[in-house]
C-alpha cells in the first residue's frame, strides 16, 4: 500500500530517541521531509544526520516544548523551511508521576499550542492536513502502571481534546487522531530501566500483555505514520491502541 507520504512535510516533537525517533524514521522511510525537536542538542543532531542519510530534508531545533512561545516559532520556521506542513505529531510527554503543574506544562499546553499554531499550515496542505497525538493506555484504565499519576490524567484530558478537535477541524480538511501505546521498551527508555531496577514489577506488567512482551518503538511508529498519511483520509477522531492486547476492554 502506498501511504502517499512521498514529499510530505511532517513535524514530530521529541524525536531524538525512543518512540518519537522511530516515528521520524518511519516517515523518512516513506520519503517525508521532517522537522524535529528535543531539548538536548547533540542526540538531536545525531538523529537528524542519520535521517538526512535516508535522503530527506530534516530541520532540527533544540527546544523545550514547555516553552510554548519557542514551540510556536519552531512550527512556523518548520513550515517556512519545508514549504508547508502536511502533518504534525505531538509525541513529547513529561511523564510526570507526581507534579501536576509540570504535567500541564509539558503535555497539555504544548499540545494546544502546537495545534493552534499548525492549523493554518495544515489547512493549506494539498491532500488535507493531519494531527496525531501520542497518548498512552494509561489514559484508558486505572490499574498499574496508570494509577493516580498526573501523567495518566493529562493523557486522558488530551484524548478528549483530540477527539473534539477532530470535529472542529474537519471542515478545514484537517484530521486529528490519537495513538495509545501500551508499555514500550527500548534501550535508554523507562521500561528498560524498570527491567533492570525493578524486575518483579516489569515481569508483572509483561505477564499482563497477551502477546507476551512489551512493544517496540517501530510498532507504535507504523500506527502513527498510517494515521498521519493520506491512506487514512477518512479516519478522524480515532484512538488507535497499540498494546499487544494489554487493555482488557471492548
Ligand atoms: N515508552 C513507553 O512505554 C510509552 C508507553 C505509552 C505511551 N508513551 C508515550 O510515547 C511518547 C514518547 O515516549 P518515549 O518513551 O519514547 O519518551 P522518551 O524516551 O522520554 O523520549 C522523549 C523524546 O522527547 C524529547 N523530549 C522530552 N521532553 C521534552 C521537552 N520538554 N521538550 C522537547 N523535547 C522533549 C526527548 O529528548 P530530550 O530529553 O533531549 O528533550 C526525546 O527525544 C510520550 O508521549 C509517552 O507518554 C510511551
Amino acid at each position: 500500500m502506498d501511504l502517499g507520504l512521498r514529499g510530505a512535510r511532517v513535524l514530530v516533537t521529541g524525536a531524538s530517541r525512543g518512540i518519537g525517533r522511530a516515528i521520524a524514521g518511519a516517515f523518512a522511510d516513506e520519503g517525508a521531509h521532517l522537522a524535529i525537536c528535543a531539548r538536548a542538542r547533540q542526540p538531536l543532531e545525531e538523529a537528524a544526520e542519520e535521517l538526512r542519510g535516508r535522503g530527506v530534508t530534516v530541520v532540527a531545533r533544540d527546544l523545550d516544548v514547555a516553552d510554548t512561545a519557542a514551540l510556536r516559532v519552531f512550527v512556523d520556521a518548520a513550515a517556512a523551511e519545508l514549504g508547508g506542513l502536511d502533518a504534525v505529531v505531538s509525541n513529547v510527554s513529561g511523564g510526570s508521576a507526581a507534579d501536576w503543574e509540570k504535567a500541564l506544562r509539558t503535555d497539555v499546553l504544548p499540545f494546544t499550542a502546537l495545534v493552534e499554531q499548525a492549523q493554518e499550515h495544515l489547512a493549506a496542505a494539498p491532500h488535507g492536513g493531519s494531527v496525531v497525538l501520542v497518548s498512552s493506555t494509561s489514559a484508558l484504565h486505572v490499574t498499574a502502571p496508570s494509577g493516580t499519576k498526573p501523567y495518566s490524567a493529562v493523557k486522558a484530558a488530551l484524548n478528549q481534546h483530540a477527539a473534539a478537535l477532530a470535529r472542529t477541524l474537519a471542515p478545514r480538511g484537517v484530521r486529528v487522531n490519537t495513538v495509545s501505546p501500551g508499555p514500550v521498551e527500548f534501550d535508554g527508555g523507562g521500561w528498560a530501566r524498570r527491567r533492570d531496577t525493578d524486575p518483579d514489577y516489569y515481569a508483572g506488567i509483561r505477564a499482563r500483555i497477551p502477546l507476551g512482551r512489551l512493544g517496540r518503538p517501530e510498532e507504535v511508529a507504523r500506527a502513527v505514520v498510517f494515521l498521519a498519511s493520506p491512506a487514512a483520509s477518512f479516519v478522524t477522531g480515532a484512538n488507535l491502541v497499540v498494546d499487544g492486547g494489554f487493555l482488557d476492554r471492548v
Side-chain angles (χ1 to χ4, degrees):
M1 178 169 56
D2 178 6
L3 297 181
L5 282 167
R6 189 148 301 282
R9 295 116 346 143
V10 181
L11 183 152
V12 184
T13 66
S16 62
R17 65 168 183 272
I19 292 170
R21 175 76 186 76
I23 292 169
F27 275 116
D29 287 345
E30 295 298 317
H33 305 298
L34 288 157
I36 61 174
C37 69
R39 289 166 303 180
R41 182 179 302 216
Q42 192 180 334
L44 178 70
E45 280 306 329
E46 286 167 10
E49 265 319 292
E50 193 279 325
L51 292 164
R52 288 181 190 114
R54 302 188 198 196
V56 298
T57 302
V58 181
V59 175
R61 292 283 187 284
D62 52 317
L63 63 90
D64 186 337
V65 298
D67 179 350
T68 52
L71 178 61
R72 286 173 184 273
V73 169
F74 172 54
V75 169
D76 286 344
E81 290 182 48
L82 298 178
L85 283 177
D86 300 283
V88 297
V89 179
S90 176
N91 171 69
V92 167
S93 170
S96 182
D99 185 337
W100 288 91
E101 286 189 6
K102 180 179 178 219
L104 290 171
R105 278 198 312 276
T106 56
D107 289 57
V108 176
L109 299 179
F111 180 67
T112 58
L114 176 66
V115 176
E116 267 175 32
Q117 199 66 29
Q119 64 178 265
E120 292 304 319
H121 305 297
L122 295 173
H127 304 293
S130 112
V131 176
V132 180
L133 165 71
V134 180
S135 185
S136 169
T137 50
S138 286
L140 302 171
H141 70 147
V142 295
T143 56
S146 177
T148 57
K149 298 179 192 118
Y151 172 77
S152 310
V154 297
K155 290 289 198 187
L158 287 171
N159 287 357
Q160 190 281 340
H161 191 53
L165 282 170
R167 296 186 77 86
T168 57
L169 295 182
R172 306 195 72 192
V174 178
R175 296 177 300 107
V176 185
N177 290 291
T178 297
V179 170
S180 292
V184 173
E185 186 172 1
F186 54 90
D187 286 347
W191 285 103
R193 225 172 10 257
R194 277 182 209 108
R195 181 189 61 212
D196 299 336
T197 58
D198 196 350
D200 291 344
Y201 181 70
Y202 172 90
I205 295 293
R206 189 183 55 197
R208 286 166 47 202
I209 302 175
L211 285 178
R213 61 173 175 81
L214 278 67
R216 304 182 189 108
E218 57 275 18
E219 292 173 317
V220 177
R222 287 195 289 269
V224 170
V225 168
F226 167 69
L227 286 173
S229 77
S233 52
F234 204 52
V235 184
T236 195
N239 184 353
L240 177 52
V241 173
V242 181
D243 71 344
F246 180 58
L247 287 182
D248 178 2
R249 57 158 211 177
V250 176

